[in-house]
Every structure is written in structure tokens, then in C-alpha cells.
Amino acid sequence: MSIGHAGRCHCGNVVYDTGSAPLWVTICYCRFCQRATGSDRMIEPIFEHDTFDFTKGHPAVFTLASEGRGKAVHVHFCSTCGTKLALTFERWPDRLGIYIGTLDDPTSIVATPKNSKHVFVREARPGTILPPGVKTYDSHATENDGTPIAPTLYGSPHVTGQ
């Protein structure tokens, strides 16, 4: 029995199991994530790549260079129904992010101030409300060499673009 979370595409041809609990939850406001989700942000639980498994089917992969660092981002999607399922990264080869909406139970992972970070808030739509006490970053949470960047924490809800 897995201690992870199960998910799938719309048509069910590609199914996955994360194999573990998420390491953290990234809420990203970058233009890539906005385009990828058709929304103003992506909620992306991050897992160890080694624990994750596609248990049915094999996704197609679309690769592009990130606008921020120029490193490859690999989008794993169902070639039948087009559902985007996961992201892998040249920059972090040992990590994998999932599109939270593809979980069988998307409410099984909750972003809290303790387990989440909000990145690329400089690209958030004006009027986006950032909750108090969460780690926020103008862009990435680390430098190219992996050095952590100090987060900004707000003591009350913060509205972007004001």
C-alpha cells in the first residue's frame, strides 16, 4: 500500500502514484504556470522523483527552456486527452511537481504557511491576495547555485500591484 497520492488524466490512460507525501507545496504565479493552467497561478506539490511512478500508461513529454533561468522544464501530459500531469526540471533532477488538480482527491494536500511557498509573486495579477505568514519570493526561492533566498513574510494579507 502506497503512502502517496494517486492521480490521473481526464481519460484515465495515464495514472500515477506519488509514492510519498509532498516535500512542500509551491504556489507559482509565473507566466509559464499561468499559461499552463489557464489560471492566475499553479498549485504544485513537489515530490522526490524517485518515489513517483506512472502506474498506468506513459505520458508524452514537451520540453522548453524556462524564461527565468534558461533551464529545461519537461511537461508530462496525456497524449490522448492532453491533461498536463507533472513537471520535471533540469535544474532539480531529483524533484517532480504535479498539477494538483490531477489528484484523485485534490483536497488531500493542503497548502499551509508551514509547508508552502509562493514564488514569482512579481508576476502575479494585480489584486492577488497573498496570505499572511507564508514565504513569498519575487522570483525563485533559491539562486542558480542552490543558495536559499530570504523570503518576504507579510503580517496581514498582502494585495499585489498596490
Side-chain angles (χ1 to χ4, degrees), residues 103-127:
L103 287 168
D104 289 345
D105 179 6
T107 64
S108 66
I109 297 174
V110 177
T112 67
K114 187 174 181 176
N115 76 351
S116 69
K117 59 185 171 182
H118 292 241
V119 298
F120 285 93
V121 297
R122 71 172 182 224
E123 296 181 34
R125 291 178 47 83

Side-chain angles (χ1 to χ4, degrees), residues 69 118-123 136-142 149:
R69 306 277 193 204
H118 292 241
V119 298
F120 285 93
V121 297
R122 71 172 182 224
E123 296 181 34
T136 66
Y137 302 86
D138 281 343
S139 63
H140 285 288
T142 61
I149 296 172

